[in-house]
Amino acid sequence: MMTNKKHSGIFYPMSRSFIPGAPTRSDPPKVYDNVILSVCIFILFMELVERMCFYGLTGSLKTFLFLHLDYSNFQANALASTMPALVYMTPLLGGFIADTMWGRYKTIFLFGMVYLAGAVLMTYSSNPNNINKPLFMFSLYGLISIGAGGIRPNVVSLGADQFLEGNENHENQKMSYFDYFYWAINIGALIAFGYLAQMATNGSGSISADYGFFYSFLICSAALALGLLAFLAMSGRYVLFPPKGNSMSGFFAVFKSYLCQHWKGIFVLIGITSTMCGFLLIVVAAFLENPEANKVMAIIGCISAAFGLFLVGSMNVNVDWIGDAAPVDTTGTKVERTKIEEAAKMDRGNATSEDTMPTNKAAVVVRAENSVEKNFSQRADDANTDAVNTDAVNTDAVNT
């Protein structure tokens, strides 16, 4: 059932030339009394089939690599373990693109198409009569890992966007939505591991074990295609927020500026770099067919990652050094603390006058500084005068 209320100021038109079937009308979608059944059910279904597809394609991956692609047991295990690691990294890309360029809807749909292409090619290359090892590996570690990374960070948020803030009925439904989302994940995994994995390794009914993987992958591809179709068909009902802009660049500018102002910060940067390089070496090692080269590179990667984590942890046992760094704005430009204190005094003295309130830049500077300090230290020294002043400025800026 629909009400006459509408979301205002949040819907933005989307080009049909970019995504077939995307909403193009300028008026916002109507608000439904039962948002879960009227709108979110399609998002939940998308999540269910995506999880079923992912676990169905990767649940028995080690066995397929060993039996059908002639990898050694050691390398098959390494490759199977690498896939989840990649899928936990690629959401950084999907989230960034959604926030800065396409929005959640476009990101889910376009990355979903990449995901579907990977599943179809993976199915085709797993046919016992025409196994194609290079195509299978490209589909799995290229297309599917990237496609899953675009869906994972955005689908749950898109569902949460459908609930109107300040509406008690919607607020209650939102809590239930997250419960249903959790169940969608688990039902998808249950189908994958409870049935599809068994079909893949042992066959099912008239499907022989030789064709088990092929038909298992085929079911996953068909389910994902159905989920994308339902997701697209109901696009006119979704409440869509525009991209928020490139907030990450400002964060990294502030982050880098703080760290580079102290010798401990430099070691933290070295540690982060060493950890990331170690991770990449471990991933590359999994694809090396030479066992000795695989072992050497994996060991180097582990040492590099462990060394990086040690540096980051040891430099942050005592985080007082972070408070000694000069504040910066979102471009990374240093700002004298005296200027921020002057802005705070002016703000407190003219709190009731809009004409004499501090500039937006001062507010942004204070919020950026406060955000970095809170992220790096939950145990900031309350006796530190600079920290107290910074908190006061931040409070005034927010009230403004």
Side-chain angles (χ1 to χ4, degrees):
M1 179 179 178
M2 296 184 296
T3 67
N4 293 324
K5 297 180 181 179
K6 294 182 179 181
H7 291 272
S8 59
I10 56 177
F11 183 82
Y12 66 108
M14 305 170 67
S15 171
R16 285 188 184 275
S17 62
F18 194 36
I19 297 180
T24 56
R25 50 193 170 78
S26 58
D27 60 306
K30 300 230 177 132
V31 179
Y32 291 84
D33 288 336
N34 194 327
V35 182
I36 293 178
L37 287 180
S38 301
V39 182
C40 290
I41 187 67
F42 305 102
I43 299 174
L44 292 170
F45 180 68
M46 177 67 193
E47 176 64 12
L48 187 153
V49 296
E50 188 277 326
R51 288 293 84 192
M52 186 193 83
C53 181
F54 178 78
Y55 291 123
L57 295 174
T58 61
S60 301
L61 181 60
K62 177 183 175 181
T63 303
F64 184 85
L65 295 173
F66 177 71
L67 294 179
H68 297 278
L69 298 187
D70 298 326
Y71 283 105
S72 66
N73 187 54
F74 172 80
Q75 191 173 13
N77 186 60
L79 288 170
S81 301
T82 300
M83 184 61 186
L86 287 175
V87 172
Y88 277 101
M89 293 295 294
T90 53
L92 296 175
L93 174 64
F96 176 79
I97 291 177
D99 286 342
T100 60
M101 297 171 56
W102 294 345
R104 295 187 179 108
Y105 177 89
K106 288 182 180 180
T107 303
I108 292 172
F109 181 78
L110 294 180
F111 274 76
M113 294 302 294
V114 174
Y115 197 149
L116 179 60
V120 171
L121 291 176
M122 187 174 168
T123 302
Y124 171 79
S125 59
S126 66
N127 190 325
N129 298 323
N130 187 31
I131 288 182
N132 189 321
K133 182 177 178 179
L135 181 60
F136 182 91
M137 300 300 286
F138 169 74
S139 303
L140 179 62
Y141 292 97
L143 299 178
I144 291 177
S145 63
I146 293 175
I151 294 177
R152 284 173 64 90
N154 294 305
V155 66
V156 63
S157 300
L158 179 64
D161 288 343
Q162 308 310 306
F163 300 93
L164 185 62
E165 293 185 6
N167 185 311
E168 184 178 355
N169 178 36
H170 280 211
E171 292 292 341
N172 293 333
Q173 288 186 64
K174 182 186 286 189
M175 299 304 297
S176 299
Y177 163 74
F178 290 112
D179 292 336
Y180 290 132
F181 191 88
Y182 175 79
W183 277 106
I185 294 174
N186 284 277
I187 292 173
L190 178 64
I191 296 172
F193 288 111
Y195 177 68
L196 295 177
Q198 295 298 319
M199 174 192 288
T201 54
N202 303 317
S204 176
S206 60
I207 300 174
S208 66
D210 293 337
Y211 283 85
F213 281 99
F214 174 76
Y215 281 103
S216 174
F217 296 163
L218 182 62
I219 292 174
C220 291
S221 301
L224 182 60
L226 182 61
L228 283 170
L229 183 62
F231 177 77
L232 179 63
M234 295 297 111
S235 58
R237 298 188 178 191
Y238 301 142
V239 174
L240 304 175
F241 287 89
K244 299 176 182 177
N246 194 355
S247 59
M248 292 298 292
S249 62
F251 167 77
F252 282 117
V254 175
F255 179 78
K256 180 181 178 182
S257 179
Y258 261 82
L259 294 186
C260 290
Q261 293 180 60
H262 196 282
W263 67 269
K264 285 188 175 182
I266 295 175
F267 276 99
V268 169
L269 286 176
I270 294 174
I272 293 173
T273 303
S274 179
T275 301
M276 296 302 297
C277 289
F279 173 79
L280 291 176
L281 288 174
I282 293 172
V283 171
V284 172
F287 292 90
L288 298 179
E289 296 188 5
N290 187 309
E292 291 300 321
N294 180 298
K295 180 184 293 186
V296 171
M297 185 168 289
I299 291 175
I300 294 175
C302 289
I303 293 175
S304 177
F307 174 71
L309 292 174
F310 170 77
L311 277 183
V312 173
S314 60
M315 293 299 106
N316 287 283
V317 172
N318 186 333
V319 295
D320 290 341
W321 62 271
I322 297 175
D324 297 333
V328 296
D329 61 18
T330 54
T331 65
T333 304
K334 293 183 181 180
V335 179
E336 298 295 333
R337 285 186 180 273
T338 54
K339 293 183 179 180
I340 295 180
E341 292 170 0
E342 290 174 1
K345 292 178 182 178
M346 181 179 67
D347 183 40
R348 286 192 292 269
N350 302 277
T352 60
S353 174
E354 293 184 0
D355 297 333
T356 55
M357 286 184 180
T359 64
N360 289 336
K361 182 176 181 180
V364 170
V365 169
V366 175
R367 285 196 297 270
E369 178 192 10
N370 184 260
S371 176
V372 172
E373 290 182 353
K374 284 185 177 181
N375 279 310
F376 276 99
S377 173
Q378 297 296 330
R379 301 176 295 137
D381 186 3
D382 292 334
N384 186 298
T385 303
D386 289 339
V388 171
N389 288 338
T390 300
D391 287 339
V393 175
N394 183 63
T395 301
D396 291 339
V398 171
N399 290 333
T400 300

